Every structure is written in structure tokens, then in C-alpha cells.
Amino acid sequence: MKNSKSLKEILICCCFVFLFLLVMRSAFWNSEKNISSNILEYLEAKQQTKKPNSCTKIPSSVANAVVQYATSKITPQQTLKEISVSLKVLEKKSPCNFLVFGLGHDSLMWAALNHGGRTVFLEEDDDWIKKQNSSLESYHVVYDTKLSEAGELHDVGMQEHCKVVSDPRMSKCRLALKGLPSQVYDVEWDLIMIDAPTGYHEAAPGRMTAVYTAGLMARNRRNGDTDVFVHDVDRDVEDRFSKSFLCEGYMVEQEARIRHFNIPNHAAPTPFCPH
């Protein structure tokens, strides 16, 4: 009788442990891995704000994103909390002009979240571009810098001629990217995401010019402001260059490895960084 009672207690304990592990696994999966479901909830809510008689056919950008994340085990480079930082801005500004430095596993997501707007990707690897979804507007970019030059380039950027606001093509600053497609310079970008080029080894291009040029484009627009997001700010270059050339005074928030800046246009005489 005693053995039977003990066995029953053991079975009950095992059941509780199993249920506990099942709940914890589900919570972990939903918080970190199931990014696509959060995106779908946002897109569904956005679709419901349309007029009742409007077409309810799923947009191709959304369809491509759903298929991508439903059939792939690879999730976006950013975490859900990091994505949420730019998502808050997209909810307010989309459809808008969205420029992304980098073409990655999250590109279809960004295009879908900016449905109806223009999302452009700048990528350093031409072969990688050819392997991606052809619906994405992407351009090959050649960088002429190396991460090992970051210290020298930061010193250059702090000189007065690099604080003159102009079209990057006209800038005399070595940090200004002048070889981008003309389509990039001719648009006033509402959001800019910097998640490229490669910046984790000394021979890589580093993101020095991308950060500086994003700030220059934001200041050079005729009206309005630009939200700029820099990923991987746990690294020295992204941390130092974003603070110096996007300015700590324009920083809105930081979540984990992503930093958000809101930069106003400098159509009227304005200090390069707020005092």
C-alpha cells in the first residue's frame, strides 16, 4: 500500500514537471523565435484599418515574407526587442522611404512592414544579391575603407570640413559615400537602417562611411526629419561613430545592440550636433 502511494506521488510529480517544461518551452519559443507571428499580427491590424470595401488580397511583399519565414529555420539577425524599436517608428511613418544598408535574412520582413512605401537595400556582396528574392529593390555598393582605418577616419570626420552639410556627392569629407546609385541620393529617406557592411574583422570595410553618410543625408533633406537605426553598437566603430556623427543629442533610445537616432533637417543654420 505504501509503495503504491509512493508510486502515485512520483507519477503526479512527473506530470507537473512535464507540464512546467512544456509551458517554459512555449514561452521561450514565442518570445524569441516566433518573430513572424508578431509581424503577421501587426500586418493584420494594419490591413483592418483600411476601408471595408477595399481589396483584402494579401500584398505580395507580405506574401513573400510569410513564405520565407514559414519555410526557413533562419530568423532575422536582430532580436524581437531590437526589431520592435524600428517597428514602432514604421507603425507611425509607413508607407515611407526606407533605406537599409545590408541585404539579409530580415530584408523581406522590412519590405513587408513598409508595404506601400519604398524600401531600398544596399549590399556589398554582388553574388549574395543574385541569390535573394528578385522582388527586393537592391543595389551593389563598393566600399573603399577598412576597419583598421577607423581611428584615422574618425579623426578626419571631426574636422570642420566634415561638418558642412551638403549632398554627399558634393562633400569634401573622405567619409561621405559618393559612389551610391543616383536613386539613393535623389530620395529623402524617412528611415535609414545601418546593419552593413561587414565590420567584424580588420580587413572588412566597416560601417564608418555608412554611419557618416546616413547622418549627412538626414541633415541635408529640405524638410522633416529622419529616423536612423544603427545595429551592433556593442562594437567600437558602431558605438563611437554613431555617437560622433549621428550625435548623442539626437539619440532617442537604445535596446540591446540597436540604437535609434532622430535627426532633423538642417535647412536652417543648425549646429552639426546639438549643444
Side-chain angles (χ1 to χ4, degrees):
M1 187 73 176
K2 187 176 181 180
N3 290 338
S4 175
K5 186 177 180 181
S6 298
L7 180 61
K8 187 176 180 180
E9 290 174 349
I10 291 171
L11 288 172
I12 291 172
C13 289
C14 288
C15 287
F16 275 113
V17 170
F18 174 76
L19 287 172
F20 174 75
L21 290 174
L22 188 64
V23 170
M24 291 301 294
R25 179 182 181 275
S26 176
F28 175 78
W29 178 264
N30 287 331
S31 64
E32 292 296 333
K33 297 295 183 181
N34 200 12
I35 293 175
S36 58
S37 65
N38 289 276
I39 297 169
L40 285 173
E41 287 175 10
Y42 161 68
L43 292 168
E44 182 180 355
K46 194 171 181 180
Q47 285 290 102
Q48 289 174 354
T49 62
K50 292 185 177 181
K51 296 179 181 179
N53 295 327
S54 63
C55 179
T56 56
K57 181 179 178 180
I58 187 169
S60 60
S61 60
V62 178
N64 287 332
V66 170
V67 171
Q68 164 73 18
Y69 300 119
T71 59
S72 174
K73 294 181 180 179
I74 301 174
T75 56
Q77 290 94 320
Q78 297 181 27
T79 66
L80 177 57
K81 287 184 178 181
E82 290 171 341
I83 290 171
S84 298
V85 173
S86 44
L87 177 59
K88 286 187 295 186
V89 179
L90 279 168
E91 285 176 330
K92 296 177 182 178
K93 287 192 170 184
S94 66
C96 62
N97 293 319
F98 187 10
L99 179 65
V100 183
F101 284 82
L103 181 66
H105 298 296
D106 52 5
S107 297
L108 285 170
M109 177 190 70
W110 295 129
L113 293 175
N114 190 34
H115 171 64
R118 185 180 184 186
T119 307
V120 173
F121 302 91
L122 304 178
E123 172 57 39
E124 64 191 290
D125 188 342
D126 197 26
D127 290 333
W128 178 250
I129 294 176
K130 296 171 185 175
K131 296 176 183 177
Q132 303 310 301
N133 193 294
S134 60
S135 67
L136 298 173
E137 184 180 357
S138 54
Y139 300 98
H140 181 226
V141 178
V142 177
Y143 296 91
D144 61 0
T145 55
K146 290 185 179 180
L147 189 66
S148 57
E149 303 172 315
E152 176 191 345
L153 289 172
H154 187 271
D155 291 342
V156 169
M158 298 305 291
Q159 296 175 14
E160 286 304 312
H161 71 279
C162 286
K163 296 182 180 179
V164 176
V165 175
S166 67
D167 184 315
R169 291 170 291 188
M170 303 295 110
S171 175
K172 295 180 180 179
C173 185
R174 184 182 166 194
L175 280 167
L177 286 169
K178 301 178 176 65
L180 301 178
S182 59
Q183 298 95 317
V184 175
Y185 299 109
D186 297 337
V187 174
E188 291 192 344
W189 300 101
D190 302 300
L191 277 79
I192 301 177
M193 174 72 70
I194 302 169
D195 209 356
T198 307
Y200 60 84
H201 59 86
E202 290 296 288
R207 299 177 185 174
M208 299 81 70
T209 54
V211 171
Y212 175 84
T213 302
L216 200 57
M217 287 177 169
R219 293 177 177 88
N220 193 51
R221 62 184 298 164
R222 291 182 293 276
N223 50 63
D225 55 23
T226 303
D227 289 283
V228 182
F229 305 88
V230 182
H231 194 223
D232 298 315
V233 293
D234 55 321
R235 302 191 304 211
D236 178 66
V237 166
E238 285 80 356
D239 174 47
R240 192 153 48 110
F241 276 70
S242 65
K243 287 179 178 177
S244 295
F245 304 117
L246 302 180
C247 304
E248 291 186 78
Y250 290 143
M251 190 168 78
V252 178
E253 66 173 311
Q254 178 176 335
E255 175 62 54
R257 297 176 299 147
I258 198 161
R259 195 171 284 164
H260 172 205
F261 299 83
N262 179 263
I263 303 177
N265 72 80
H266 284 204
T270 307
F272 190 80
C273 282
H275 298 303

